Amino acid sequence: MASKKRSILDHVFVPKARILSKEEVEEVLRKYRVSKENLPKILETDPVVVELGAKKGDVIEFIRNSPVAGKSIYYRVVI
Amino acid sequence: MVRKKTIGAIEFGILSPDMIRKMSTVEVTVPETYDADGFPVEGGLMDPRMGVVDPGLRCKTCGQKMNKCPGHFGRIELVRPVIHTEYIKYVEGFLQATCAKCGRLVFSDETIEKVKKKYPPKMRFKYFVKKGAEVRKCPHCGYERPKIKFEKPYNFFEITGEEEKKIWPTEIRERFERIPDKDVEAMGFNPNKFRPEWLILTVLPVPPVTIRPSIILETGERAEDDLTHKLADIVYTNQRLKENIDAGAPQLIIEDLWDLLQYHVTTFFNNEAPGVPPSRHRSGRPLKTLVQRLKGKEGRFRYNLSGKRVNFAGRTVISPDIKISVGEVGVPQIMAEEITVPVHVTEWNIDEVKEYIKRDEYPRALYIIRPNGTRKRITPDNREDILEELAPGYIVERQVVDGDIALFNRQPSLHRVSLMAHRVRVLPGRTLRINPLANKPYNADFDGDEMNIHFVQTKDAQTESRELVAVKYNMISPRHGRILVTADEDALTGMFLLTWKDTKLTKEQAAELLYAIGITELPEPDEDGLISGKKIFSMLLPKDMNIEFPTKLCEYAKKFGYCEDCRNCDLETYVVIKDGELLKGVIDEEAIGTKGKIIHYIYRVYGPEEAERFVNRIGILSTMAIKMLGFTISYEELKIDEETKKKIEQIIEEGEKKALEYIELYKKGKLEPIPGFSEEESLELYIIQSLEEARKKVTAIVVKEKFEDFLKNPATAQGFVMIISGARGKVSNIINLVAFQGQAYVREKRPHRGFMGRVTAHFKPGDISPRARGFVKRSLREGLGMLDIFFWGMGGRIGEVDKGVSTQISGYYYRRLSNALMDVIVFPDGTLREVTNDALIAYRFGDDGMNPMAALDGKLPLDILYAKMKKLKGEKK
Ligand SMILES: [Mg+2]
Ligand SMILES: [Zn+2]
Ligand SMILES: [Zn+2]
Ligand SMILES: [Zn+2]
């Protein structure tokens, strides 16, 4: 049975997450006129961060389902 | 130049004995305060070196007078040390975690290093104490550690085998002195600011007399502050202890006095310490000592520091007045006479101001303030001089008059519309008056509610009040975009009756109604010479208004098959307004209620001023209409004809029978359980389902009959009018009155507790039939039986208790939440950020970026926005 390892990212309740490239991070910081320290944060030990293999300082994009807006995008910096 | 400085950090620590001695100006050795001649005793608790509280005297320490001397600490040298019981948890912690012999933490150096790396300072203490209490052998010196027992409130014992030996504070202090700084640091403290032996007091600071002044009673006697009393106890016990030790008294007596000293020091800090009997005044009143001064609602923090009293405010009972605007507040004249508003004298208003100064009676000036800031009361004697002197640049304080602006508030102030600005209307009487259509934002009623009023003083604040805080700009709820200041209850009923299809008024009646709202022209009468209510209502509407929508009534009409094609239905279920003329349909909640189409249309298309005027007018019109047309509910109205009654009884019997069948099935073990529920749970659900099904059927029958009664003649079904107009009440209320009460619930369950295996002694144990579990077959009209009332009372009482508890709890949650969110705002780019540190909270407010105030229940009212655009376009041309 335990042949295939399941990823928590595949679960329907886990928002879609991916690590942004350097250029994309620059773009986000410019778009929102914000410095990296002032972004919302996420712990390096967070299961999703561990699964993605993100390092401190990486910015992760979350796409969440929203009852009012359909999809909503959220960025967090790994600390 | 004033240098502005900000506080960078605050460091907390505890006072060392050295520090206490250094800040002390006097050692207090005698418990007396004043001698026979009334002079403070040297070395007593009122020693003048600790500051002065009598006017005229000078402080012996700083040489300043009463208002300048900050007060100075003294000290009491305790002959035997005592524990500072407010820190008893830390005393216990250090005892448990360190070795009595060598003073080291009872962990190996490697463990200590590891813990230091793993946990932040705050958590290290907890860790070492919890683990250290179990260590029996010191890893540093090999000492076999006895178990340490803490006995509330402040005693420690060492247990070796059967024996319990008390550890006296002297011993504790010696042990703590042996703890090296590095271990103190490892436990999460800064050893420069905190040494564990400082938790054991050898010297006690005596607070300055400034914080414990004595007062002179009318009898000329001096009464000392509670703190002084407590300090006197400490000094006295300390002296006795000293004398006994010096005299070589037996150990037992010394220990008793030592304990007493510990008790007095404990209660000096906190007279409500758990497990310690409170120290009392001679009268039996518990003393208010240090902690009591700071703690709680009436403590220093919440009462004096966070809470400030204000001037130019008033509070009294409120009562309704439909004839003042929703934007106004009625102020009793006696209040207006007491409170002033400053007027800055200019060359343009000086004559007007002079009129106020000349007057003897109510709207008059009370004070002038000269440009140099001196204030003078205006009296008949100095009036002429003042009039002579008055020039631009002066300020005159005159009594509050009509048109002034005031902030009106009712607690609990849960949202921003709990405080709004109203224009003042000075009225006779002793209550504050408010238009009843404006009471929803305040959640006020008139059963004795009191409200606060603040008369706004400065020009800036007045302008802000008028332009931002005024009622007309806050009619829309910032939470969901509904209009809060509009018709409800009787105002809705009145408008419904006025605009119902048969309602026609004579010319005289119509004139009376319209005159009350300032309209002096009559609409064209019908052929019969009468004027319909709809025509009168139309007089309130803007002439270019066009809107169509189904009424609240339509919901019911549809349900019972009376309305199929709303637009062409002659049942008044569809409102058609064409060019400001109400052609069809009755005006109810759907039109002018909190989500009403007409009121939203007027607010959003014509603006706040027009909306305020409209609301004022529907208030007056409907109140006068309901008085003119009459509104009442009769016992007769609650009757149903015999045939329907029989039908209802039969349905109820069937429902009950079905429930009993389920019980039989369950007893035989043949009940099919609902997936996910036990057999018992399923049975309850089945029973409730069968009874509620019966209720549903009864509801359909009764409402249909009432609806038909209403259609035949609204006058015979006025209770029903309240429901279908949305004014008050639900259909279930009618059923309870007319048909039967039905199942009583206690926290969503059938009543089941109370007596052994039954709710009351009137049933056999284990009886779970509908009757035994709160199913009531009688109606309120017939009257309930004793048991029926009991069953319904159970749920009612619990509901009432839960309501009280949950409002308190959720109120506190809300307070904390709103304080935490205070400085998070929506930025122009739609992001949410914290103002104080620019932290980004959300990339788009609420995910959709919608301003809830501009929407209605989260959706944009497109039809209304379209009308607004059309109007704007028309205006441009
Ligand atoms: Mg009330
Ligand atoms: Zn002084
Ligand atoms: Zn040791
Ligand atoms: Zn309809």
Side-chain angles (χ1 to χ4, degrees):
Chain A
M1 276 296 279
S3 57
K4 198 175 150 205
K5 193 181 176 294
R6 277 164 218 261
S7 161
I8 54 163
L9 295 172
D10 296 336
H11 195 279
V12 280
F13 287 165
V14 179
K16 296 279 153 291
R18 74 182 177 92
I19 304 171
L20 291 189
S21 69
K22 255 209 176 77
E23 294 73 40
E24 286 171 317
V25 174
E26 286 299 311
E27 179 60 32
V28 168
L29 296 182
R30 199 166 42 241
K31 184 176 168 193
Y32 291 101
R33 291 163 193 259
V34 69
S35 60
K36 227 177 191 179
E37 310 84 76
N38 286 332
L39 285 183
K41 296 162 179 65
I42 190 165
L43 279 179
E44 203 181 16
T45 48
D46 188 281
V48 169
V49 178
V50 173
E51 186 82 20
L52 287 175
K55 302 267 154 13
K56 274 194 174 72
D58 284 349
V59 176
I60 301 180
E61 177 196 73
F62 292 92
I63 300 179
R64 318 191 276 204
N65 291 321
S66 160
V68 288
K71 293 252 183 296
S72 90
I73 300 174
Y74 206 78
Y75 306 100
R76 286 179 184 279
V77 63
V78 179
I79 56 161
Chain B
M1 196 188 92
V2 182
R3 288 263 295 278
K4 213 177 127 190
K5 293 190 176 179
T6 49
I7 296 170
I10 299 176
E11 198 169 58
F12 291 93
I14 62 170
L15 290 173
S16 70
D18 280 352
M19 184 57 99
I20 295 171
R21 290 198 181 96
K22 264 189 218 157
M23 48 184 232
S24 142
T25 55
V26 55
E27 185 189 343
V28 180
T29 47
V30 275
E32 280 80 46
T33 47
Y34 294 91
D35 62 21
D37 306 321
F39 288 106
V41 182
E42 282 272 310
L45 283 164
M46 284 302 179
D47 192 301
R49 283 171 287 182
M50 280 186 283
V52 279
V53 280
D54 304 283
L57 290 181
R58 277 184 187 279
C59 169
K60 281 228 175 129
T61 298
C62 65
Q64 297 183 100
K65 283 192 188 158
M66 191 179 85
N67 51 356
K68 280 276 176 62
C69 166
H72 315 280
F73 276 91
R75 71 178 191 279
I76 298 169
E77 295 285 347
L78 301 172
V79 230
R80 284 275 190 273
V82 293
I83 298 169
H84 192 315
T85 37
E86 292 298 299
Y87 292 116
I88 196 83
K89 276 266 144 342
Y90 294 98
V91 175
E92 190 197 359
F94 276 100
L95 277 179
Q96 300 284 16
T98 59
C99 171
K101 275 270 141 16
C102 69
R104 292 298 313 273
L105 265 173
V106 287
F107 299 88
S108 68
D109 287 323
E110 299 84 72
T111 323
I112 294 172
E113 279 313 307
K114 237 167 54 195
V115 173
K116 269 174 84 171
K117 265 204 199 101
K118 197 167 168 197
Y119 295 113
K122 266 185 200 164
M123 284 164 73
R124 278 185 237 150
F125 180 79
K126 256 190 182 162
Y127 178 90
F128 284 128
V129 173
K130 203 175 157 218
K131 291 266 152 57
E134 274 129 46
V135 178
R136 288 280 73 85
K137 190 172 173 163
C138 172
H140 299 283
C141 69
Y143 173 62
E144 289 289 340
R145 303 178 71 217
K147 260 208 171 96
I148 291 167
K149 192 176 93 181
F150 168 49
E151 204 165 76
K152 275 177 184 161
Y154 38 61
N155 290 315
F156 292 98
F157 297 93
E158 257 178 2
I159 308 171
T160 30
E162 292 292 287
E163 209 185 338
E164 271 188 22
K165 197 180 130 259
K166 176 162 174 167
I167 320 173
W168 288 89
T170 31
E171 166 70 16
I172 301 176
R173 206 183 140 85
E174 278 160 21
R175 289 187 189 183
F176 285 2
E177 278 168 355
R178 285 195 284 268
I179 303 173
D181 275 357
K182 60 174 181 185
D183 284 355
V184 174
E185 207 246 300
M187 288 187 82
F189 299 93
N190 175 354
N192 298 317
K193 298 284 186 302
F194 175 100
R195 280 288 318 174
E197 65 266 26
W198 301 346
L199 300 174
I200 316 298
L201 299 164
T202 52
V203 53
L204 183 78
V206 176
V209 285
T210 332
I211 72 154
R212 45 182 180 91
S214 42
I215 44 166
I216 315 260
L217 299 173
E218 291 130 51
T219 54
E221 266 179 293
R222 257 178 201 280
E224 296 303 335
D225 189 273
D226 280 6
L227 278 185
T228 310
H229 280 301
K230 201 65 243 180
L231 285 164
D233 288 342
I234 295 171
V235 178
Y236 178 68
T237 316
N238 197 39
Q239 286 310 111
R240 262 178 62 199
L241 183 56
K242 187 180 179 164
E243 284 155 19
N244 275 282
I245 293 169
D246 290 349
Q251 192 60 23
L252 217 63
I253 290 179
I254 290 175
E255 283 178 2
D256 273 357
L257 280 170
W258 194 354
D259 251 351
L260 186 63
L261 184 65
Q262 174 75 67
Y263 166 77
H264 284 315
V265 173
T266 303
T267 48
F268 167 69
F269 287 115
N270 182 3
N271 202 19
E272 282 165 10
V276 183
S279 178
R280 285 173 197 280
H281 198 252
R282 253 176 315 201
S283 62
R285 170 183 65 85
L287 294 174
K288 259 191 132 175
T289 52
L290 287 174
V291 168
Q292 278 58 248
R293 282 194 179 195
L294 308 178
K295 219 174 81 177
K297 211 181 207 161
E298 254 114 69
R300 200 93 322 143
F301 292 105
R302 280 174 73 182
Y303 194 78
N304 302 102
L305 294 168
S306 317
K308 292 266 181 245
R309 286 179 173 265
V310 292
N311 290 320
F312 307 104
R315 177 187 172 97
T316 181
V317 174
I318 52 162
S319 41
D321 186 341
I322 195 72
K323 298 217 165 158
I324 62 170
S325 165
V326 290
E328 291 179 315
V329 56
V331 175
Q333 190 173 319
I334 43 174
M335 191 183 272
E337 283 174 10
E338 198 65 43
I339 289 172
T340 60
V341 164
V343 179
H344 294 255
V345 180
T346 63
E347 56 179 292
W348 304 285
N349 69 1
I350 190 160
D351 293 333
E352 189 191 320
V353 170
K354 278 183 175 168
E355 287 308 310
Y356 281 116
I357 295 174
K358 284 179 198 157
R359 288 182 59 94
D360 279 318
E361 279 173 350
Y362 161 59
R364 70 187 188 92
L366 297 186
Y367 295 93
I368 64 156
I369 300 165
R370 300 197 178 91
N372 65 15
T374 53
R375 164 192 292 267
K376 202 160 174 76
R377 194 185 172 87
I378 300 165
T379 63
D381 297 333
N382 64 17
R383 179 177 299 153
E384 289 308 316
D385 299 339
I386 286 171
L387 284 170
E388 195 68 36
E389 186 190 344
L390 195 74
Y394 276 58
I395 296 169
V396 172
E397 292 189 326
R398 55 133 244 260
Q399 289 169 327
V400 164
V401 295
D402 283 5
D404 283 343
I405 194 83
L407 297 175
F408 205 30
N409 157 250
R410 180 181 176 276
Q411 282 115 351
S413 313
L414 292 178
H415 52 185
R416 68 186 213 198
V417 284
S418 289
L419 181 137
M420 290 189 287
H422 293 247
R423 299 182 301 276
V424 169
R425 275 286 286 274
V426 178
L427 298 174
R430 325 192 109 246
T431 56
L432 286 165
R433 247 58 57 83
I434 177 175
N435 186 309
L437 301 203
N439 67 2
K440 210 180 291 156
Y442 298 108
N443 190 22
D445 50 32
F446 306 102
D447 58 5
D449 288 25
E450 290 183 53
M451 283 179 72
N452 311 316
I453 186 166
H454 300 267
F455 295 89
V456 185
Q457 298 283 306
T458 67
K459 266 267 132 49
D460 307 43
Q462 287 173 359
T463 309
E464 284 194 354
S465 299
R466 285 182 203 279
E467 301 301 325
L468 300 171
V469 200
V471 174
K472 61 183 170 196
Y473 300 122
N474 291 283
M475 289 169 78
I476 292 203
S477 163
R479 183 165 91 213
H480 44 226
R482 295 184 194 165
I483 292 189
L484 295 179
V485 180
T486 186
D488 64 348
E489 311 211 348
D490 274 10
L492 281 178
T493 313
M495 212 40 103
F496 185 97
L497 295 177
L498 181 68
T499 55
W500 185 242
K501 59 176 173 185
D502 307 325
T503 307
K504 293 212 165 184
L505 303 175
T506 63
K507 273 192 191 177
E508 287 74 21
Q509 288 177 313
E512 195 185 333
L513 284 185
L514 289 171
Y515 187 76
I517 53 174
I519 295 173
T520 48
E521 265 167 67
L522 276 182
E524 199 59 42
D526 297 338
E527 285 116 48
D528 52 6
L530 297 175
I531 298 170
S532 74
K534 286 199 173 66
K535 278 198 173 146
I536 293 173
F537 178 79
S538 300
M539 301 292 280
L540 309 186
L541 300 173
K543 286 295 149 252
D544 54 351
M545 182 170 174
N546 288 291
I547 192 171
E548 290 182 12
F549 57 91
T551 62
K552 170 117 180 151
L553 177 68
C554 180
E555 280 174 36
Y556 295 91
K558 268 220 178 90
K559 216 187 252 173
F560 303 108
Y562 286 93
C563 170
E564 268 153 24
D565 178 14
C566 292
R567 221 167 287 252
N568 300 310
C569 166
D570 56 13
L571 233 153
E572 297 282 323
T573 63
Y574 199 76
V575 172
V576 177
I577 292 172
K578 204 157 180 231
D579 297 329
E581 197 69 37
L582 176 62
L583 299 177
K584 253 182 77 166
V586 68
I587 297 302
D588 60 15
E589 197 184 17
E590 278 299 305
I592 55 169
T594 183
K595 291 187 268 178
K597 296 282 185 311
I598 294 179
I599 182 77
H600 275 267
Y601 189 101
I602 290 179
Y603 187 94
R604 290 181 146 131
V605 178
Y606 298 93
E609 286 75 18
E610 202 50 45
E612 179 179 343
R613 205 165 73 113
F614 179 74
V615 170
N616 289 334
R617 287 174 153 198
I618 55 174
I620 297 172
L621 198 58
S622 61
T623 308
M624 296 203 44
I626 200 172
K627 283 195 278 184
M628 189 177 280
L629 300 168
F631 181 73
T632 184
I633 182 167
S634 68
Y635 184 66
E636 210 51 34
E637 190 186 317
L638 303 176
K639 269 193 183 149
I640 32 175
D641 62 60
E642 279 306 311
E643 210 178 301
T644 327
K645 200 175 155 97
K646 286 241 168 62
K647 244 178 17 200
I648 290 171
E649 271 165 16
Q650 203 193 327
I651 293 169
I652 297 172
E653 288 310 323
E654 274 168 22
E656 197 179 8
K657 222 176 90 195
K658 215 169 150 196
L660 288 169
E661 279 167 21
Y662 278 121
I663 295 173
E664 276 312 305
L665 228 56
Y666 166 76
K667 280 185 181 157
K668 283 182 202 147
K670 284 184 185 161
L671 190 79
E672 190 73 40
I674 302 168
F677 292 92
S678 72
E679 258 176 65
E680 288 72 25
E681 287 166 346
S682 306
L683 176 64
E684 277 300 305
L685 289 171
Y686 280 131
I687 294 171
I688 289 171
Q689 192 192 24
S690 8
L691 298 175
E692 289 303 331
E693 218 164 77
R695 190 181 170 89
K696 226 184 232 162
K697 281 184 202 155
V698 172
T699 304
I701 293 172
V702 173
V703 173
K704 195 170 165 82
E705 181 172 321
K706 285 293 146 196
F707 194 71
E708 267 158 24
D709 286 353
F710 160 77
L711 288 181
K712 262 180 248 153
N713 182 3
T716 62
Q718 299 220 347
F720 199 63
V721 167
M722 284 199 289
I723 296 172
I724 54 177
S725 65
R728 199 75 211 249
K730 289 183 282 187
V731 168
S732 69
N733 298 134
I734 284 261
I735 307 302
N736 289 351
L737 282 162
V738 169
F740 76 120
Q741 274 283 78
Q743 181 63 52
Y745 289 98
V746 177
R747 294 223 174 100
E748 272 107 61
K749 282 196 170 110
R750 299 197 302 158
H752 58 99
R753 280 185 352 147
F755 219 64
M756 295 163 66
R758 45 198 163 150
V759 182
T760 73
H762 304 77
F763 304 101
K764 289 186 175 145
D767 185 357
I768 51 167
S769 66
R771 175 79 188 112
R773 289 285 168 93
F775 187 65
V776 181
K777 288 194 266 183
R778 272 179 281 196
S779 68
L780 290 171
R781 196 189 71 88
E782 293 163 312
L784 298 190
M786 189 259 296
L787 284 176
D788 304 340
I789 291 194
F790 191 81
F791 282 128
W792 276 79
M794 291 174 74
R797 180 177 179 278
I798 286 200
E800 223 40 53
V801 171
D802 285 0
K803 196 171 83 194
V805 173
S806 66
T807 45
Q808 261 184 28
I809 293 172
S810 61
Y812 186 43
Y813 275 127
Y814 179 80
R815 200 185 128 82
R816 276 150 44 183
L817 186 69
S818 64
N819 281 332
L821 293 180
M822 236 176 352
D823 48 19
V824 176
I825 66 164
V826 182
F827 272 63
D829 64 353
T831 58
L832 263 188
R833 295 176 203 231
E834 218 171 298
V835 193
T836 41
N837 59 9
D838 292 330
L840 209 152
I841 308 289
Y843 294 87
R844 201 156 157 74
F845 171 65
D847 283 352
D848 57 0
M850 186 101 77
N851 173 6
M853 226 172 150
L856 179 54
D857 286 333
K859 288 180 211 80
L860 288 175
L862 292 172
D863 47 343
I864 288 169
L865 294 177
Y866 176 69
K868 183 175 182 175
M869 271 167 57
K870 231 164 86 174
K871 183 163 184 286
L872 288 174
K873 226 170 146 191
E875 272 167 8
K876 255 188 205 156
K877 275 179 198 163

